[in-house]
Amino acid sequence: MFCKLAWKNVSRSLRDYGVYFLTLTFGVCLFYVFNSLESQWCMQMLSRSAHYMAESILVLMDVFSAFVSVVLAGLVLYANTFLMKRRKRELGTYLLLGMPTWRVSLLLVLETLLIGLLALAAGLLLGVLLSHGLGLLTISMFSAYPTEEAFGLILSVKAVGKTALYFGAIFLAVMALTGLTVSRSRLIDLIRGARKNEEMKERPLWTSVLTFLAGAALLGAAYAMLLVRGLLMIDSLFFLMLALGTAGTLLFFRSLSGFLLRLVKGRTGIYYRGLGMFVLRQFNSRIHTTYVSMTAICLLLLLAIGVTACCAGLNDTIESNTDAAAPYDFTIQNYSGDTEPVDIPSLLTANGFDTEEALRGAWLCPLYYNDPGLSAPGGEVPDVAVALSDYNALMALQGRPGLEEGELPQYREEPLASGPTGFTGYLVVPDRTAAELSVRRQLFAGNYAGDRQTAEERLQAAVASPGFSQTGSYRLGTRIQVYMENMGTKLMALFMGLYLGLVFLIAAAAVLALQQLSQAADDQSRYQTLSRLGAPEGMRDRAVFAQVSLAFFLPLALAVVHAAVGMTAANAVIAEVGRVDTAASSAITAAFILVVYGAYFLATFFGSRRIARGDG
């Protein structure tokens, strides 16, 4: 019977749990998605050739998850506080009817448990679907062709367990706090749980105009400093720029307490239409205490939009970067080639990698210690030299033109090897000159004839075999390794951006939604008065919609302006290593705002409308 009452209360009060349920569901979904990354096809591919990058991403996600769990715990506790405030009269009625305090506390604990289980189930279901979408997004970034299994839905049991553990701890804290709050509450406090309404204090127009102009001037100065100085100059002026931007945002919302009302008053068609006067005066009265929170919400939205857009649209031009750093499918360097020259192709064949069959082109090239007396016409004196015939053969493997003997000696910066030690600065000399120099090491470069992944696995096995590795000191560098390292960097930026961006977005939307629902509860008596004065229900509903829209979209509009300026500065930095795909970043960011922010907006509007009608 007691459990049935708890279930009935949850079902009946689901309208009050709307924002609370959304916050829990989005939190569970987000937590599951980014803790199930190791099950994604892209991470499995990354683990094969760049294991340390995959481990770094997973470790980073663990650190972020701890941070996110703290943020979500704060949001859940904040939402629970709002619910307790909304239900004080109901709880007081239970006590007035003779129900013991401990049973009221137990009732709330059961209700919290039920709503938590429902949110956990819904969040995990949504998380599996969103994880699949994120997997498809990352698959589209790889040039490698994925297997059919990569496109299927994946359920990570480990991520489910981790999510349940973290949110179980959060729910235990909420249930303990709820029980403690009820046990310490007095009956009179519960019966008189409503808040006092704030009195409107209208400010002179000139002060609002001056405040608005001062805010605009501060924002303009901050924008100019950001665009001129850029994002990378972290000094005292950088923090001054942040302070100016924050102060400008604060003054902008502070000015709305008089500026917006006086501005619309001059437009009688808007001010006197429907309940326009009521809506604006209500907004004007609230801004005295909410402009600080609106500033904080605007800055959170700025972080959400900026981080998401930069990281989601980041295109490191991986293919071109890989071509530059890895001109061949693989290179093997023999560091002991000066003392033990080795026939590397024959040695590979003897250890299970048939170079005649597996390669469509290859070249064994000695690298020489350069004579200090040899220099290029430009004056460069690199310490590595390569013979003209070897250089032209290597360029042929790359599909590039070689050099003529009349152009020698010549300093070149094209990498000779694949990987970080690719000799990007060396001297090309005639063959007869090279014959007089001492060998420094050997370089064997080649391109695979068939499937790259299969050929590379066979090559790595051959190089790692004792019969090969014991003949010298070797270093293997491959195109796939370089590609995966570049890909890992991009994935890390993408996952970090999406994770943090969504957390900031949920935090901003949840705080704003709870604030508006609390204000709707305060305004309930005013809407009842409007009803008694003859205002039809549709007109009152439109007034609620206008109030919620002002609260949600004013911070969003200014955050979009901030983000546009910030993205312009960020593009200048990113252009040094890649480019920003503005279409992709805008589409992904808009989709997240539409889904998350839009869901909170709708939940807040329907909740506020229900309260204004007297149903809540």
Side-chain angles (χ1 to χ4, degrees):
M1 183 66 182
F2 199 66
C3 294
K4 185 176 181 181
L5 176 61
W7 175 253
K8 184 177 180 181
N9 282 346
V10 170
S11 302
R12 177 177 54 83
S13 302
L14 193 58
R15 56 185 180 271
D16 291 333
Y17 283 108
V19 172
Y20 185 53
F21 185 78
L22 266 181
T23 303
L24 290 175
T25 301
F26 281 141
V28 170
C29 171
L30 192 64
F31 203 85
Y32 171 83
V33 168
F34 288 96
N35 281 278
S36 63
L37 290 179
E38 61 182 332
S39 301
Q40 295 279 3
W41 176 84
C42 65
M43 295 299 294
Q44 295 174 0
M45 286 289 296
L46 198 62
S47 297
R48 294 181 182 178
S49 302
H51 185 67
Y52 72 97
M53 285 297 301
E55 287 185 346
S56 298
I57 292 176
L58 295 178
V59 169
L60 194 62
M61 290 303 107
D62 286 339
V63 174
F64 275 33
S65 294
F67 165 75
V68 168
S69 65
V70 174
V71 174
L72 292 176
L75 287 177
V76 171
L77 292 173
Y78 182 67
N80 186 71
T81 301
F82 165 75
L83 290 177
M84 289 295 298
K85 190 177 297 182
R86 288 278 293 126
R87 299 187 63 190
K88 277 186 175 181
R89 187 179 296 274
E90 176 192 344
L91 300 178
T93 302
Y94 286 141
L95 295 176
L96 196 62
L97 293 175
M99 182 180 289
T101 302
W102 70 270
R103 290 185 68 84
V104 175
S105 300
L106 180 59
L107 179 65
L108 289 176
V109 167
L110 287 176
E111 291 180 16
T112 304
L113 179 61
L114 287 173
I115 199 71
L117 291 175
L118 288 174
L120 184 63
L124 288 175
L125 178 61
L126 183 61
V128 171
L129 298 177
L130 188 59
S131 177
H132 181 62
L134 182 62
L136 295 179
L137 175 65
T138 53
I139 285 174
S140 66
M141 299 177 184
F142 278 82
S143 61
Y145 187 79
T147 59
E148 293 184 2
E149 292 78 6
F151 296 97
L153 287 174
I154 299 174
L155 177 64
S156 174
V157 178
K158 182 179 178 181
V160 170
K162 191 173 182 180
T163 304
L165 178 63
Y166 272 76
F167 278 85
I170 293 175
F171 289 135
L172 286 176
V174 171
M175 288 187 287
L177 181 63
T178 299
L180 185 63
T181 302
V182 174
S183 65
R184 291 185 174 183
S185 298
R186 296 184 303 171
L187 178 60
I188 187 66
D189 295 329
L190 295 175
I191 296 297
R192 297 180 178 178
R195 290 175 53 190
K196 293 182 179 179
N197 292 322
E198 181 184 346
E199 295 182 2
M200 187 186 75
K201 298 178 181 179
E202 194 167 310
R203 302 174 63 211
L205 177 61
W206 66 270
T207 60
S208 298
V209 172
L210 287 179
T211 304
F212 176 80
L213 293 177
L218 291 178
L219 288 176
Y223 291 164
M225 292 177 66
L226 178 62
L227 294 176
V228 172
R229 290 167 46 83
L231 283 173
L232 298 183
M233 295 184 65
I234 311 298
D235 52 14
S236 57
L237 290 179
F238 178 82
F239 294 103
L240 175 62
M241 176 191 68
L242 295 181
L244 291 176
T246 303
T249 304
L250 184 71
L251 292 179
F252 173 80
F253 289 114
R254 183 70 177 88
S255 68
L256 293 179
S257 61
F259 185 70
L260 184 61
L261 178 62
R262 292 300 185 91
L263 182 66
V264 179
K265 267 186 175 181
R267 300 178 179 272
T268 56
I270 299 176
Y271 188 67
Y272 293 107
R273 180 185 299 171
L275 294 177
M277 178 174 62
F278 172 79
V279 170
L280 288 172
R281 293 180 75 84
Q282 283 295 101
F283 179 79
N284 187 65
S285 69
R286 297 296 183 190
I287 202 68
H288 283 290
T289 54
T290 59
Y291 71 94
V292 176
S293 63
M294 291 184 76
T295 301
I297 289 167
C298 178
L299 296 179
L300 279 174
L301 289 172
L302 166 62
L303 290 173
I305 295 171
V307 172
T308 304
C310 283
C311 295
L314 180 63
N315 188 329
D316 284 333
T317 55
I318 292 177
E319 291 293 340
S320 60
N321 288 351
T322 302
D323 289 339
Y328 325 99
D329 284 346
F330 74 92
T331 54
I332 299 175
Q333 297 183 53
N334 179 12
Y335 285 83
S336 55
D338 55 344
T339 56
E340 300 178 16
V342 175
D343 185 355
I344 297 179
S346 299
L347 189 60
L348 287 172
T349 302
N351 285 274
F353 185 81
D354 190 340
T355 56
E356 294 292 334
E357 176 186 347
L359 302 179
R360 58 183 173 85
W363 190 259
L364 180 60
C365 167
L367 302 178
Y368 301 93
Y369 288 100
N370 187 30
D371 189 324
L374 290 174
S375 64
E380 296 88 350
V381 186
D383 58 358
V384 177
V386 61
L388 174 63
S389 59
D390 292 324
Y391 173 81
N392 287 342
L394 291 175
M395 290 301 105
L397 283 178
Q398 298 183 30
R400 302 175 58 186
L403 294 175
E404 299 292 336
E405 188 164 347
E407 302 175 276
L408 303 181
Q410 187 171 135
Y411 176 77
R412 306 295 293 177
E413 292 188 346
E414 299 95 342
L416 283 177
S418 297
T421 58
F423 289 112
T424 55
Y426 53 90
L427 194 67
V428 182
V429 297
D431 288 6
R432 60 181 178 276
T433 303
E436 300 174 357
L437 302 175
S438 300
V439 175
R440 179 175 183 177
R441 68 183 64 173
Q442 290 178 289
L443 174 68
F444 181 58
N447 295 318
Y448 301 128
D451 179 69
R452 285 182 175 177
Q453 188 65 46
T454 302
E456 179 147 327
E457 291 175 358
R458 291 172 54 200
L459 176 64
Q460 289 177 341
V463 172
S465 63
F468 187 96
S469 59
Q470 293 176 359
T471 61
S473 176
Y474 299 97
R475 179 184 179 89
L476 173 64
T478 73
R479 178 184 175 85
I480 291 180
Q481 287 176 345
V482 173
Y483 176 82
M484 287 300 176
E485 289 174 359
N486 291 339
M487 196 69 222
T489 302
K490 182 176 181 179
L491 289 178
M492 184 179 292
L494 174 68
F495 294 151
M496 287 171 55
L498 294 182
Y499 210 174
L500 288 180
L502 284 171
V503 169
F504 290 140
L505 183 59
I506 290 174
V511 171
L512 186 55
L514 293 170
Q515 183 187 81
Q516 290 304 300
L517 289 171
S518 180
Q519 291 181 7
D522 295 342
D523 292 339
Q524 188 178 42
S525 60
R526 291 189 172 100
Y527 279 100
Q528 290 174 352
T529 300
L530 289 175
S531 177
R532 288 193 293 270
L533 291 175
E537 186 176 88
M539 185 179 291
R540 301 197 306 274
D541 291 347
R542 288 191 294 274
V544 173
F545 183 82
Q547 280 188 287
V548 175
S549 298
L550 282 173
F552 266 79
F553 295 115
L554 276 176
L556 178 62
L558 187 57
V560 169
V561 175
H562 289 349
V565 177
M567 281 291 295
T568 302
N571 285 354
V573 176
I574 297 173
E576 299 179 3
V577 295
R579 63 182 176 86
V580 171
D581 188 341
T582 55
S585 63
S586 300
I588 292 174
T589 306
F592 284 143
I593 291 177
L594 180 64
V595 173
V596 178
Y597 205 68
Y600 274 102
F601 170 77
L602 292 177
T604 304
F605 165 64
F606 288 123
S608 299
R609 185 184 67 174
R610 197 174 290 112
I611 293 172
R613 289 179 176 180
D615 299 333

